[in-house]
Amino acid sequence: MSNSNVWLTSRERMRRFPELLAVCAKEAAVYGKCVASSGEYELKKDACGREFQALKRCFIEAAKKIK
Amino acid sequence: MYIFFDMSKVCRLTRMLSFGGCLNLIGRQRTPLLRTSSSVTMDALRTGSSSASMNVFDRSMKRKQKAWASALVDADKYDYLRNEVGSRIADRIFDVARTFPLALEIGCGRSHIVQHLNKETIDTLFLVDVNEKALRMTAEMDIPTHKVLADEEFLPFKENTFDLVVSSLSLHWVNDLPGSLKQINNILKPDGVFIGAMVGGDTLYELRCSLQLAELEREGGFAPHISPYTAVTDLGNLLGLAGFKMLTVDIDEIEVYYPDMFQVIKDLQGMGESNCAWNRKPMLHRDTMLAAAAIYKAMYGNEDGSVPATFQILYMIGWKHHDSQVKPAKRGSANVSFGDIGKMNELSRNKPNS
């Protein structure tokens, strides 16, 4: 990644994260509850994978809609 | 303005430690967060020199981060925490019933304590910081000031010089904290006082836990993203070993509410408080960020959608030894028994002048 603009563009994209997360508040709450309620031995990699994929899908769609 | 921070309503002051639920979940992870332990400080004393092996923070990186933060156009928007802690330290200075001809402020930044002080308390003031730009940006005040560009761990002053040394929220980035405290004790005059505030213990535990859980769920393991802090119990030991007497250590918790996790991180960057520990992980995946923000809101969020960030500030007051100071009474010198406590009213009635 030698292009110096990468920093600027990735930071620009990250600046939109809060508003996109606000759009997907419901999926975020479901995912958060899944992680918070799993015990210390059940929280392995992808323990709440389904919920996270739903959140990510919502996030990507929101990013496409809100230009 | 993306911060909802209303000081009068929102800033809560508690004197009890409050532990986040996930500390039980990740119990093992607590030990790396205690930056110094008594065994480390004992080694430092035995070798007779400040331990050069304690290298937790990248100091040159911290200097660059502070310089970047000072260069921001809206740098004073991030000063709310420093101003609040500065005013509380100024309160403690006023509580001490004497004046200080010569005072020193270490790690002053844009000098947040001195704005609350006046000429009656302090005659001359020295400001020390690693960041040149912040020193130049300090406001004009009626106390004559001298600014010195120096590192907190290498103070360029002669011993027995200062009546008062203050430090607000800068000692938590110092590598050799025992050595630094010893230097402060050195440059104080006998019967001089050191009043400091450090971020400690459970600060930002919500952010730490959210990141840990998110990394665990998304990537299968976690790495430290929050810098290590000193625990309250260690602070008392450190001050004692540095030679301070009549110690006072107390804890304040300041909760600041933000819209979401990203604003917490952005404000920390703006304050110049980005992590510079050598063991920090340089990468944070976008998936993990998203997961952490969701977990933060689910675990700690309030009804109105805001999330809290806790800053646990440890205030410490230590005096340099002087013969006039009160010493603990000698063993066996008691002349009243504990059993007489029930008869306290009678005793005080019999002695009308006490």
Side-chain angles (χ1 to χ4, degrees):
Chain A
M1 295 234 190
S2 51
N3 190 359
S4 63
N5 273 339
V6 162
W7 265 127
L8 298 172
T9 49
S10 59
R11 283 197 178 173
E12 205 37 63
R13 254 181 264 142
M14 271 183 53
R15 234 161 269 166
R16 301 178 56 207
F17 271 33
E19 63 172 291
L20 298 176
L21 186 61
V23 170
C24 301
K26 203 159 28 103
E27 284 85 353
V30 168
Y31 172 73
K33 202 152 79 91
C34 169
V35 173
S37 55
S38 51
E40 44 190 283
Y41 298 111
E42 288 126 38
L43 194 63
K44 298 197 219 355
K45 185 158 193 256
D46 267 341
C48 296
R50 222 177 311 138
E51 288 85 352
F52 182 75
Q53 292 309 324
L55 172 59
K56 194 162 174 195
R57 246 176 287 132
C58 163
F59 199 77
I60 295 176
E61 279 179 32
K64 284 197 207 130
K65 255 189 280 169
I66 308 175
K67 262 294 169 221
Chain B
M1 182 77 160
Y2 52 75
I3 307 169
F4 335 136
F5 177 43
D6 180 358
M7 282 260 244
S8 52
K9 270 191 284 180
V10 147
C11 185
R12 257 188 259 150
L13 174 73
T14 61
R15 300 218 170 235
M16 296 293 292
L17 299 175
S18 64
F19 290 98
C22 81
L23 278 179
N24 298 320
L25 192 68
I26 325 266
R28 286 178 297 138
Q29 196 58 7
R30 284 178 76 193
T31 27
L33 301 174
L34 286 175
R35 185 155 63 80
T36 56
S37 66
S38 351
S39 60
V40 175
T41 50
M42 285 311 278
D43 282 347
L45 287 183
R46 240 182 275 136
T47 58
S49 63
S50 48
S51 173
S53 57
M54 275 198 269
N55 195 0
V56 184
F57 301 111
D58 182 356
R59 291 291 290 173
S60 65
M61 189 56 164
K62 178 46 59 184
R63 243 174 285 147
K64 285 189 216 149
Q65 287 168 349
K66 289 198 168 172
W68 177 87
S70 307
L72 290 173
V73 174
D74 53 356
D76 50 353
K77 253 203 259 175
Y78 302 102
D79 276 348
Y80 48 91
L81 185 66
R82 292 221 152 90
N83 284 335
E84 177 63 19
V85 174
S87 75
R88 292 183 192 189
I89 291 201
D91 277 346
R92 284 164 168 81
I93 297 179
F94 283 131
D95 280 344
V96 178
R98 58 176 268 197
T99 59
F100 303 100
L102 192 57
L104 168 70
E105 185 176 348
I106 300 182
C108 61
R110 280 185 296 283
S111 149
H112 306 272
I113 305 181
V114 192
Q115 334 167 338
H116 307 275
L117 297 175
N118 50 35
K119 241 180 155 159
E120 280 92 54
T121 336
I122 297 183
D123 286 344
T124 320
L125 176 67
F126 275 75
L127 294 174
V128 163
D129 200 78
V130 280
N131 181 9
E132 186 184 335
K133 189 142 194 214
L135 277 180
R136 288 190 200 283
M137 279 167 67
T138 52
E140 283 300 313
M141 46 198 118
D142 53 354
I143 308 175
T145 333
H146 302 269
K147 301 178 187 170
V148 180
L149 188 66
D151 194 319
E152 293 96 335
E153 301 183 58
F154 303 101
L155 297 170
F157 301 109
K158 213 158 62 124
E159 53 187 38
N160 297 329
T161 328
F162 291 100
D163 300 279
L164 168 69
V165 176
V166 288
S167 169
S168 167
L169 301 185
S170 76
L171 288 175
H172 58 283
W173 293 116
V174 163
N175 268 321
D176 182 13
L177 191 56
S180 205
L181 290 174
K182 278 179 87 173
Q183 284 185 44
I184 293 175
N185 191 31
N186 229 5
I187 61 178
L188 273 174
K189 279 201 201 123
D191 214 25
V193 61
F194 165 58
I195 302 182
M198 281 181 64
V199 185
D202 277 339
T203 303
L204 296 172
Y205 71 90
E206 301 102 338
L207 184 61
R208 186 171 66 226
C209 284
S210 309
L211 283 171
Q212 283 176 349
L213 291 174
E215 273 188 303
L216 199 55
E217 200 273 327
R218 285 285 92 216
E219 299 172 35
F222 53 84
H225 289 279
I226 314 277
S227 73
Y229 300 120
T230 319
V232 174
T233 43
D234 286 347
L235 200 54
N237 288 337
L238 285 173
L239 287 169
L241 287 169
F244 288 103
K245 308 269 178 271
M246 301 201 303
L247 304 173
T248 311
V249 176
D250 62 292
I251 314 169
D252 268 356
E253 270 191 24
I254 301 182
E255 266 195 28
V256 184
Y257 294 162
Y258 297 91
D260 53 49
M261 185 190 88
F262 299 108
Q263 312 301 352
V264 177
I265 297 179
K266 182 162 188 211
D267 266 25
L268 290 171
Q269 277 183 329
M271 285 187 224
E273 296 295 309
S274 314
N275 194 359
C276 69
W278 289 110
N279 68 351
R280 72 191 185 280
K281 188 171 160 196
M283 261 283 283
L284 187 58
H285 296 281
R286 271 177 295 178
D287 279 2
T288 312
M289 266 191 250
L290 184 57
I295 295 170
Y296 201 141
K297 193 157 276 191
M299 282 182 72
Y300 305 108
N302 305 312
E303 286 87 39
D304 61 354
S306 60
V307 292
T310 307
F311 296 93
Q312 199 178 64
I313 318 281
L314 314 175
Y315 296 95
M316 52 196 142
I317 304 179
W319 296 78
K320 180 149 181 190
H321 172 75
H322 188 260
D323 291 324
S324 69
Q325 286 169 0
V326 177
K327 288 193 202 32
K330 274 182 103 100
R331 291 180 70 129
S333 63
N335 48 14
V336 186
S337 148
F338 267 118
D340 291 338
I341 287 186
K343 307 187 221 144
M344 276 276 267
N345 287 332
E346 281 180 36
L347 290 171
S348 59
R349 240 180 280 133
N350 292 337
K351 293 188 206 167
N353 51 341
S354 72

